[in-house]
Amino acid sequence: MQDRTGTLSRFVSAYVRLIRFLAGFCMAAIVAIMLAQVFYRYILGGSLIWAEELCRYLLIWQTFLVLGLAYSRGEFVTLDFLPTMLSPRHRWLLRAVTALPILAFLGLMSWFGWEFASRFDRQTIPAFDFIWTALSGEALGLSIRYVYVSVTVGLVLLAVHVIADLISTFRSDFLENQTAMPA
């Protein structure tokens, strides 16, 4: 049992490091692109026409990647006056009951997000086409679906975090606090 817990802990730790790295990479790329844009516009008198679009796509991906981490760290806005008045067991039950419509909503939005993204297979990302054409002479042809699928990926990751939160607090809040419930 200890080995499974250690393996799971290492997996979660690696996942968190990967998401933080990707979010940091997106932010560093946004800063670098915007600094280049400022340099080109105000020093060289030109403009990078693809900079804003590329930064927008990076910010979208960054936002949806870190949703789950923000949830796990308790950084979403919550009303906690009722849960603080409850025993740990009742608090977990309330969390489980409220997680059901949240998971249903995330599942529904993920499904429709995937459906929406799949409609744009033939539409390309103009910024990447412009950059690639300048470098190689021909358009890259990368589908904009890869931008739109960020919604599905982010919401599925958020659902995993909601489920993991329920599982991780089940033993401490529910099983170990059975005496807190009135008979």
Side-chain angles (χ1 to χ4, degrees):
M1 182 71 163
Q2 183 71 334
D3 184 50
R4 287 176 53 197
T5 305
T7 303
L8 180 62
S9 177
R10 285 192 301 275
F11 175 76
V12 169
S13 178
Y15 164 77
V16 169
R17 281 194 311 272
L18 174 67
I19 296 298
R20 285 183 179 169
F21 170 78
L22 291 173
F25 176 78
C26 286
M27 184 54 69
I30 290 169
V31 169
I33 293 167
M34 283 293 104
L35 286 174
Q37 171 70 340
V38 168
F39 176 77
Y40 270 82
R41 178 167 290 163
Y42 295 109
I43 305 299
L44 300 180
S47 181
L48 302 173
I49 64 171
W50 48 266
E52 181 186 345
E53 182 181 1
L54 186 57
C55 286
R56 186 177 331 126
Y57 297 152
L58 287 169
L59 187 60
I60 290 168
W61 264 102
Q62 179 188 26
T63 300
F64 281 104
L65 281 176
V66 299
L67 278 177
L69 291 181
Y71 174 84
S72 293
R73 293 175 52 158
E75 294 174 349
F76 281 7
V77 174
T78 60
L79 298 173
D80 60 357
F81 64 90
L82 179 62
T84 56
M85 296 185 325
L86 298 174
S87 68
R89 185 170 189 181
H90 287 109
R91 193 176 313 133
W92 187 90
L93 286 170
L94 178 64
R95 184 182 293 170
V97 167
T98 57
L100 294 175
I102 291 170
L103 291 170
F105 175 76
L106 292 174
L108 187 67
M109 291 302 295
S110 296
W111 175 263
F112 284 112
W114 183 264
E115 288 291 316
F116 180 78
S118 66
R119 294 178 187 166
F120 294 94
D121 276 339
R122 289 188 223 137
Q123 183 179 347
T124 61
I125 301 174
F128 287 147
D129 280 345
F130 183 81
I131 295 168
W132 200 255
T133 302
L135 294 174
S136 70
E138 60 186 53
L140 181 61
L142 188 64
S143 174
I144 201 159
R145 178 182 189 176
Y146 295 113
V147 175
Y148 294 146
V149 80
S150 65
V151 174
T152 300
V153 170
L155 295 180
V156 167
L157 289 175
L158 180 56
V160 168
H161 280 268
V162 170
I163 294 168
D165 180 52
L166 286 174
I167 292 170
S168 68
T169 58
F170 179 72
R171 173 176 233 103
S172 64
D173 289 355
F174 190 80
L175 290 181
E176 294 175 2
N177 287 295
Q178 289 183 12
T179 57
M181 214 173 160

